[in-house]
Amino acid sequence: MSGELHNIPPVWTAVFHWQSCLLYLSLLPRRWGRGRCAAAALALLAVQLPYMGMIAPQEGLAFNLGMAGFAGLTLLPFALIHKGDWRGRLYYCARAFILGGFTVSLAWQLYSYYRGRLGWLAPFWAEAAFMLAVGGAVYAAMWLLERGRRREMQELDITRATCLGAAAVALVIYILSSLSYSSVETPFAATAEADAFTIRTIAYLGGVAILYAYHLQLCQFHALREVNALQNVLDLQYASYQRSQESIDMVNRKYHDLKHQIAVLRADLGTEQKLDCLDQIERDIRAYESRNQTGNKVLDAILASKTAYCLEHGITLTSLADGGALDFMGVVEVSALFGNALDNAIEGVAVLPDPEQRLIRLSVGRQKGFLCVKVENRCVDSLVVRGELPRTTKGDKSLHGYGLKSIRATAERYGGSATVQAEDGWFTLGIMIPIPAGQAGQAVE
């Protein structure tokens, strides 16, 4: 079958597939800065253009084998630029390949239709303007659809089965789109060139829709898993707070009784040495009573529990906290926020070989109508923050980051935000939450 309709110029095939790759790469984490990524992308386009020009005159099996090689070239920008493993690269390459096939097929079909009716579309500059306008509209629509799930795209755990499933769908769609051009008589071969072109466009459109629906299911599954995991974290932190509060209440009662016992002993004892000993015990009790009295019972319980743990494991935890700034937050949220933040800090310093470097600093206060929380801890110099999470060293990466995700979810629930950074051997977690009107109190400048 020959004719003008199905002979898409190779330049447009290369350009539109290249643009599809750029669309997904713009939404995914990249291994380089913008300058190097742009240079690599242009270099890949310079390879794709002559390659398509070489295979375009081929027919039948030779052309299809050439397109298999072109699919490999489509994978190359993901391998070079995308900061991910091979599963994510193959998954998004499959989606980009089908999107590029649909876009160039639709644009060329529309151009071929209108060129026969509008003579001014015949020059190449008019052809280029028309093709790029149609392609730009398709890519803009797709980018708007994908942008809303950018966070899921960056955090999505692409499995081997997921990426191979997407690649299989892309292969089947390509085969279906090519059957209508078969010179061998089959039930799927078209009887007219226009029919063949329409079948190909519809086949690619179906492929884009199938892969997008598949991606939505993956995102929904990921979101459900996140919600369940965060709820488990909240439940564990709240249970930990309750246990800590019970232990602290018991210790407070014992210390209260001990003060009365000391008063009785003091009345019976007369030696100066024993009196000095009792004075020391009383000073220790007063030091305990004044410790972690922030003005918020939940924060007091968490700080008491974490301070005791840090003392036992050679970690220095210092805090300067205005617990009254937390009055607008619920018990579960406060326990989750500070329990996770301090647990992450303790985990971060526990791996440091030098005990003198095991330092954690916590500050909580009000500033210009905002609750400001900062948790700083020493960390290994090689720690790298990827996206919104530090790169994990745990064996089970699927469980990585749920503490920080819980913190971020808690902050966002109150209209705030949480940020992390690693610099100069310090890991810093910063939280900003607007304090509701009427509860801001005295701002700390």
Side-chain angles (χ1 to χ4, degrees):
M1 184 178 294
S2 61
E4 186 181 40
L5 271 176
H6 65 280
N7 289 333
I8 300 176
V11 61
W12 297 125
T13 301
V15 167
F16 278 55
H17 281 83
W18 177 73
Q19 289 180 330
S20 295
C21 295
L22 294 187
L23 184 148
Y24 285 103
L25 286 171
S26 69
L27 298 170
L28 295 168
R30 298 177 293 275
R31 68 169 76 237
W32 301 320
R34 291 183 178 180
R36 292 186 64 184
C37 288
L42 291 174
L44 291 166
L45 179 62
V47 173
Q48 288 178 324
L49 284 171
Y51 181 84
M52 275 305 304
M54 181 180 64
I55 68 170
Q58 307 298 320
E59 294 183 357
L61 180 61
F63 177 79
N64 288 320
L65 289 176
M67 285 302 295
F70 183 74
L73 287 179
T74 305
L75 179 60
L76 194 55
F78 290 96
L80 291 177
I81 298 174
H82 176 39
K83 187 194 294 184
D85 57 23
W86 68 270
R87 293 181 292 270
R89 294 166 184 167
L90 181 58
Y91 174 78
Y92 289 108
C93 172
R95 297 194 64 196
F97 185 79
I98 295 301
L99 178 61
F102 164 69
T103 308
V104 70
S105 180
L106 174 66
W108 186 251
Q109 186 173 9
L110 292 175
Y111 173 74
S112 299
Y113 176 82
Y114 285 109
R115 184 178 59 181
R117 291 160 176 77
L118 303 173
W120 59 269
L121 286 176
F124 179 75
W125 65 266
E127 173 187 320
F130 187 95
M131 294 289 290
L132 293 176
V134 174
V138 173
Y139 289 129
M142 198 65 189
W143 188 81
L144 290 174
L145 286 175
E146 299 284 7
R147 183 186 62 173
R149 299 187 178 274
R150 185 172 187 174
R151 178 179 295 173
E152 287 91 339
M153 290 177 67
Q154 295 182 350
E155 297 178 355
L156 204 59
D157 183 22
I158 304 295
T159 64
R160 182 191 300 267
T162 298
C163 71
L164 293 179
V169 170
L171 177 61
V172 170
I173 294 301
Y174 175 75
I175 293 173
L176 290 176
S177 69
S178 303
L179 280 178
S180 59
Y181 288 93
S182 174
S183 59
V184 179
E185 187 173 343
T186 69
F188 306 100
T191 57
E193 293 178 359
D195 293 339
F197 210 104
T198 300
I199 291 172
R200 179 167 67 177
T201 303
I202 293 175
Y204 273 122
L205 175 60
V208 171
I210 290 171
L211 288 174
Y212 183 70
Y214 184 48
H215 183 69
L216 287 181
Q217 284 189 327
L218 292 176
C219 290
Q220 290 172 356
F221 176 77
H222 174 76
L224 181 61
R225 181 184 175 189
E226 291 272 290
V227 169
N228 291 335
L230 291 179
Q231 187 59 51
N232 289 336
V233 170
L234 287 173
D235 293 342
L236 289 172
Q237 287 294 341
Y238 185 59
S240 175
Y241 155 70
Q242 288 181 314
R243 291 192 299 270
S244 298
Q245 185 63 55
E246 291 170 359
S247 299
I248 290 169
D249 290 342
M250 182 185 67
V251 172
N252 283 336
R253 289 195 300 270
K254 294 294 184 182
Y255 274 19
H256 184 73
D257 294 340
L258 185 58
K259 285 195 298 184
H260 292 293
Q261 294 170 2
I262 291 173
V264 173
L265 291 173
R266 186 186 294 275
D268 293 337
L269 297 176
T271 64
E272 185 176 347
Q273 185 177 9
K274 290 181 179 181
L275 287 174
D276 289 343
C277 181
L278 291 173
D279 289 339
Q280 182 61 45
I281 295 174
E282 204 165 28
R283 282 194 295 270
D284 292 340
I285 293 174
R286 284 197 296 269
Y288 172 81
E289 288 177 332
S290 62
R291 181 184 297 170
N292 300 328
Q293 300 297 312
T294 66
N296 184 282
K297 291 184 177 181
V298 182
L299 183 57
D300 291 346
I302 293 171
L303 284 175
S305 174
K306 303 306 178 185
T307 299
Y309 181 90
C310 289
L311 287 173
E312 183 179 351
H313 292 81
I315 299 171
T316 302
L317 169 61
T318 58
S319 62
L320 179 61
D322 174 15
L326 305 172
D327 288 346
F328 67 97
M329 298 181 66
V331 172
V332 174
E333 286 78 10
V334 174
S335 63
L337 192 71
F338 290 96
N340 281 309
L342 292 174
D343 282 345
N344 286 339
I346 290 171
E347 183 181 333
V349 299
V351 299
L352 299 176
D354 186 358
E356 294 186 358
Q357 289 192 333
R358 298 173 189 167
L359 306 175
I360 301 174
R361 299 194 296 244
L362 168 68
S363 64
V364 182
R366 303 178 179 93
Q367 186 172 8
K368 297 182 179 178
F370 283 84
L371 166 66
C372 300
V373 179
K374 180 182 288 186
V375 183
E376 301 171 290
N377 63 272
R378 293 300 301 268
C379 63
V380 294
D381 293 332
S382 59
L383 182 66
V384 175
V385 174
R386 184 179 65 186
E388 298 176 333
L389 297 174
R391 188 168 59 193
T392 181
T393 57
K394 298 178 181 178
D396 189 356
K397 293 180 172 55
S398 64
L399 300 178
H400 170 54
Y402 281 113
L404 286 174
K405 290 176 183 177
S406 175
I407 293 169
R408 185 181 66 198
T410 301
E412 292 176 350
R413 189 175 302 129
Y414 288 94
S417 62
T419 59
V420 297
Q421 68 176 16
E423 187 177 4
D424 298 330
W426 283 90
F427 178 79
T428 303
L429 166 66
I431 302 168
M432 294 278 289
I433 300 176
I435 300 177
Q439 300 185 45
Q442 181 67 33
V444 177
E445 301 297 340

